[in-house]
């Protein structure tokens, strides 16, 4: 393939880093990998978490906070199962990470935790807590002695089947409004922004993406409001990636990376660049939502009024 032949849209690229389950934490290597992914043009870094059976050397949101301080453009997606933390704590941590990273934070809800219905309610509660303050609630009026407007504070007062949460959150509204929510179970797509799945079968990928888009439409949202990415098939080059994107089997790919000198950086990435399939690095001030082509939420009051 030559650059002149390519008409496929450049895919979203999510770098996946598995949790280190052996040996001491090597933050230097993790930072070097994040630098390399950012320099190549990856959109986000998915940080895996450990399990009781295979404890990790670090917890994902803590690692993301460390990387927020040393990176500038790449999005940060720590993985935590829904229900792994109380929704208030998850909302507070991810909102804080969004502030620290200047709008580059997200959260990957791995699996469905206590079940699909409970996980969907968990996502709803977390998003409601992020709406605790209106976008213009913080006025920072030193002369008038007003830091934030009391009428800009919104209590959640959620009383559902699985969770009862009053709110409000004690963290200001995140820069993105809602940090990006990724899920690994398509049954949760209606409440998510990004669906991350594993299959290298083009036919299956097409069926899954079509079903996700229909579920999103049925939930009253724009089908393009949710992006679907699949793990990059082993050995896939620019031709195969372009084919998947041209026939709209995927919006992007998840690329497992193991080290700053991962062969992907020097082989496939360079091939994608030559074919015009590697998107430009972000400009300052670009949020993860901007990068992924996702709208910023209008806010609870604005949505209710529309």
């Amino acid at each position: 393939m030559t650059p002149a032949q390519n008409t496929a849209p450049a895919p979203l690229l999510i770098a996946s880093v598995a949790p280190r389950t052996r040996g001491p934490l090597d933050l230097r290597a993790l930072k070097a990998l994040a630098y390399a992914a950012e320099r190549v043009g990856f959109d986000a870094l998915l940080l895996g978490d450990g399990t009781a059976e295979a404890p990790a050397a670090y917890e994902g949101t803590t690692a993301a906070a460390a990387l927020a301080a040393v990176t500038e453009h790449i999005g940060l997606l720590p993985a935590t199962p829904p229900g792994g933390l109380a929704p208030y704590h998850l909302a507070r941590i991810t909102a804080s990470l969004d502030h620290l990273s200047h709008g580059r934070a997200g959260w990957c809800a791995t699996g469905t935790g206590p079940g699909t219905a409970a996980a969907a309610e968990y996502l709803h509660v977390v998003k409601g807590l992020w709406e605790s303050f209106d976008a213009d609630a913080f006025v920072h009026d030193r002369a008038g002695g007003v830091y934030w407007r009391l009428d800009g504070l919104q209590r959640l007062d959620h009383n559902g089947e699985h969770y009862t949460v009053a709110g409000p959150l004690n963290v200001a509204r995140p820069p993105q409004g809602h940090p990006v929510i990724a899920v690994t179970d398509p049954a949760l797509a209606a409440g998510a922004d990004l669906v991350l799945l594993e299959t290298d079968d083009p036919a299956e990928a097409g069926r899954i993406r079509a079903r996700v888009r229909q579920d999103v439409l049925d939930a009253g949202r724009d089908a393009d409001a949710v992006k679907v990415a699949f793990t990059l098939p082993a050995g896939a080059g620019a031709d195969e990636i372009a084919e998947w994107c041209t026939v709209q089997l995927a919006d992007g790919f998840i690329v497992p990376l193991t080290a700053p000198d991962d062969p992907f950086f020097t082989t496939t990435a360079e091939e994608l660049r030559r074919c015009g399939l590697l998107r430009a690095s972000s400009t300052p001030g670009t949020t993860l939502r901007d990068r992924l082509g996702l709208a910023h939420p209008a806010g609870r009051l604005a949505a209710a009024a529309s």
Side-chain angles (χ1 to χ4, degrees):
M1 174 181 290
T2 66
Q5 294 173 311
N6 174 48
T7 58
L12 306 176
L13 288 179
I14 313 296
S16 174
V17 183
R20 186 182 179 90
T21 55
R22 294 183 179 179
L25 168 65
D26 188 346
L27 182 58
R28 179 178 299 180
L30 183 61
K31 287 165 54 180
L33 193 155
Y35 287 147
E38 184 172 68
R39 187 169 55 248
V40 163
F42 274 87
D43 297 294
L45 192 64
L46 174 63
L47 296 160
D49 209 351
T51 64
E53 295 76 21
Y58 55 80
E59 181 273 327
T61 58
T62 306
L67 295 177
V70 297
T71 55
E72 296 183 3
H73 307 301
I74 196 167
L76 301 165
L77 283 170
T80 300
L85 294 172
Y88 187 92
H89 296 309
L90 192 285
R92 188 167 186 266
I93 290 170
T94 47
S96 300
L97 183 59
D98 204 40
H99 283 285
L100 290 171
S101 65
H102 302 289
R104 292 185 289 127
W107 158 52
C108 180
T110 50
T112 52
T116 301
E121 186 179 338
Y122 186 95
L123 266 61
H124 174 77
V125 171
V126 168
K127 288 192 286 188
L129 287 168
W130 286 334
E131 294 284 349
S132 293
F133 290 94
D134 294 343
D136 59 353
F138 285 78
V139 295
H140 306 287
D141 180 2
R142 178 176 294 182
V146 180
Y147 183 54
W148 54 272
R149 296 182 296 100
L150 185 59
D151 62 356
L153 175 66
Q154 310 296 333
R155 285 177 61 91
L156 178 60
D157 288 330
H158 175 84
N159 187 10
E161 182 178 354
H162 305 280
Y163 297 98
T164 300
V165 183
L169 202 64
N170 61 352
V171 175
R173 183 180 176 85
Q176 297 181 96
H178 297 178
V180 171
I181 293 181
V183 298
T184 59
D185 188 327
L188 298 176
D193 303 299
L194 181 63
V195 181
L196 305 178
L197 299 167
E198 291 188 26
T199 183
D200 57 5
D201 180 352
E204 182 182 17
R207 286 194 297 271
I208 292 174
R209 183 172 182 272
R211 190 180 69 212
V212 165
R213 290 173 63 83
Q214 186 59 54
D215 287 348
V216 173
L217 277 174
D218 292 344
R221 302 175 64 197
D222 187 327
D224 290 329
V226 178
K227 309 297 183 186
V228 183
F230 295 95
T231 299
L232 187 70
D239 287 340
E240 186 172 350
I241 290 172
E243 183 178 350
W244 277 57
C245 295
T246 299
V247 296
Q248 299 183 329
L249 298 178
D251 298 300
F253 295 95
I254 309 155
V255 183
L257 299 176
T258 57
D261 58 352
D262 192 285
F264 181 89
F265 293 130
T266 54
T267 56
T268 309
E270 287 304 313
E271 188 182 352
L272 291 175
R273 189 186 307 283
R274 286 194 298 274
C275 294
L277 288 169
L278 204 56
R279 291 163 0 112
S281 296
S282 296
T283 56
T286 302
T287 68
L288 179 56
R289 282 188 171 277
D290 297 331
R291 181 101 187 148
L292 299 180
L294 299 169
H296 287 245
R300 186 164 46 176
L301 292 182
S306 62

